[in-house]
Amino acid sequence: MGSGVGVLDNILLILTDQQRWDSLGCYGTMGVHTPNLDRLANVGTRYTQCYVNNPISTPSRASLWTGKHLPGHGVYKLHDVLPTDEILFPYFLREAGYDTALFGKLHVAGHIWEAKYRHQFDGFNTYEWAPDPNGYRGCETAYSRWLAIHHPAILDRWKRYGNKIGHVPVEAHFTTWAANRTIDYLQRMQGTSQPFFCCMSIFDPHNPYTNHPRQYRQKLVIEDLPDIHAFDESFSHRPISHQREARKYDRSDLIENRIGYHASIALIDEQVGRVLKTLRDLNLDSNTVIIFTSDHGDMLGDHGLSTKGAFMYDPCTRVPMIIQDPKQEKGRIVDIPCQLHDIAATSLAIGSYEKPSGMVDSCNLLDDHSLNQRSYAVCMHRNSSIGHGGYYDPELHVSMWRQDNYKLNIYHSPAPDLNDCPGELFNLDDDVGEMNNLWFSERHRDTRDQLVHRLTTFLVKQDSKGRVTKEQALPPGFKY
């Protein structure tokens, strides 16, 4: 339970959708326009090796909000539903005395379920749910209700054209709405003595990459943006999950996608800047911990692949993670692997709340010793994504282990062909682009076998532990 010692810090979580790690200037990327987020990294801590628990939104976000790997919460696929007895960490923060708010996307269950129901243990006092700008299949959302009042013509365009609406003006954009609602909330909380947890959850830079305000393209130095990596790489030597996704993309279309992607991030950066300025103007910046991250990345044509799927390449599984804690040293860089589900333990530590036993695998990101003790990251794809026409058949299952300078991927095909590539081993110190698969290298056989043993031991432990019940997950003395 909450310790009640001292004044608790506020927490502002800014969560984007499908934003790869190398989309910000502070990660060394040229041509982008992210001055506010770069400044946040300069005065905070930048984590260079943050990996998602799953490369698809629903399982990834279920991990973030519950502090558990996939077997711990039971959400494996895009349209799965988080079990009703799972408890999201804002619920515990509320028990610790926090006011809690969500503006935007939650997505711990399929959108069809979330459009009809609200999870009973989400823990939010203020719940302004909006899964995407168009509303899933046109369902009503907090954003659509706001548009109906302030920008009815834009709402009508969304209803008519859906994601083919084209450029949306700044003042009516989903990102602006999320920032506006967050700013309104901060102003409301400024006059109170109650600590708050607020999540500003943005849909962009998710595809289709065409809905950003037109003028934000001009903020980019287009000729300096990263080129498509390994676009013409052959699929013949790669795992079955990649071969099934092998498609002929037009290079010029992919370049346009990249420009739209980074233009939408430029808008995100501007709106984040407005929120951070509000924190300063309200004198809330000295006792507010700011966390910025995303639920997974986007291939953007790298390795000949698009968006996300059963891919363990860094563009898909590695995301930005920036934390500004006013009490910590400025400009820190942490190279230890960390994961999205660590946000739960971090937030509860900030709130002086005892971490439930069900979050045993979640580390406090502000504690380097805790991260060093774990020292690895794991990502699981369990037929999570949807290919052409539905879930993959035969199913696609992949497990990733990231430790030291190596990344190991195992492909668990239900009916492997003799010619299937069973796995990948990359030395990321020497092979940043993940081009040289060392799986069959005799010189790396011992390394491969050791990592296979660590990964399979971890997976067996997770499966044998399974999903804990609500009662087992609660901290001692917890009462409803």
Side-chain angles (χ1 to χ4, degrees), residues 228-247:
I228 301 171
H229 173 67
F231 173 66
D232 295 319
E233 183 185 1
S234 170
F235 279 79
S236 61
H237 65 291
R238 290 196 281 168
I240 188 67
S241 61
H242 299 167
Q243 294 179 32
R244 290 193 200 173
E245 284 296 312
R247 298 175 65 188

Side-chain angles (χ1 to χ4, degrees), residues 255-468:
I255 291 172
E256 278 300 308
N257 288 349
R258 285 183 165 235
I259 294 170
Y261 185 84
H262 289 292
S264 69
I265 293 173
L267 174 63
I268 290 171
D269 183 86
E270 180 180 88
Q271 296 304 314
V272 168
R274 291 180 58 223
V275 172
L276 299 183
K277 182 179 184 300
T278 300
L279 276 174
R280 294 191 297 270
D281 291 346
L282 298 175
N283 295 318
L284 292 171
D285 55 324
S286 62
N287 67 326
T288 300
V289 178
I290 303 163
I291 304 173
F292 177 87
T293 193
S294 192
D295 62 351
H296 55 78
D298 190 318
M299 292 305 298
L300 287 177
D302 288 345
H303 296 276
L305 299 167
S306 181
T307 61
K308 67 275 186 180
F311 321 132
M312 296 299 167
Y313 292 117
D314 271 13
C316 195
T317 59
R318 187 176 166 196
V319 293
M321 175 68 78
I322 301 170
I323 300 181
Q324 188 203 1
D325 180 352
K327 300 182 183 64
Q328 285 207 326
E329 176 188 352
K330 294 182 178 180
R332 294 177 69 241
I333 298 175
V334 175
D335 297 319
I336 315 165
C338 65
Q339 301 213 241
L340 283 194
H341 74 302
D342 295 328
I343 290 174
T346 307
S347 299
L348 295 185
I350 294 168
S352 297
Y353 196 93
E354 182 179 350
K355 185 175 73 172
S357 60
M359 292 185 188
V360 64
D361 295 315
S362 180
C363 290
N364 180 359
L365 290 165
L366 301 175
D367 178 7
D368 290 356
H369 177 69
S370 176
L371 291 175
N372 263 317
Q373 277 193 314
R374 188 179 63 193
S375 77
Y376 60 81
V378 182
C379 186
M380 310 177 197
H381 182 284
R382 296 295 181 264
N383 212 38
S384 307
S385 51
I386 291 179
H388 312 301
Y391 290 119
Y392 292 103
D393 183 15
E395 297 183 352
L396 288 178
H397 305 297
V398 192
S399 300
M400 182 202 87
W401 184 272
R402 174 75 171 91
Q403 190 170 23
D404 299 325
N405 54 317
Y406 289 100
K407 178 193 283 186
L408 177 92
N409 305 321
I410 298 180
Y411 294 85
H412 316 280
S413 176
D417 187 274
L418 290 176
N419 296 321
D420 284 352
C421 175
E424 296 166 313
L425 176 67
F426 298 112
N427 183 338
L428 297 185
D429 280 358
D430 302 330
D431 183 21
V432 176
E434 300 172 84
M435 294 291 293
N436 184 21
N437 182 9
L438 304 173
W439 181 273
F440 300 102
S441 166
E442 188 65 27
R443 188 162 66 90
H444 294 87
R445 185 171 65 175
D446 286 347
T447 298
R448 180 198 67 190
D449 291 348
Q450 288 176 20
L451 295 178
V452 167
H453 177 70
R454 292 175 192 174
L455 173 56
T456 53
T457 299
F458 172 88
L459 294 176
V460 169
K461 182 179 178 182
Q462 288 286 317
D463 287 341
S464 63
K465 183 171 58 178
R467 205 174 69 79
V468 296

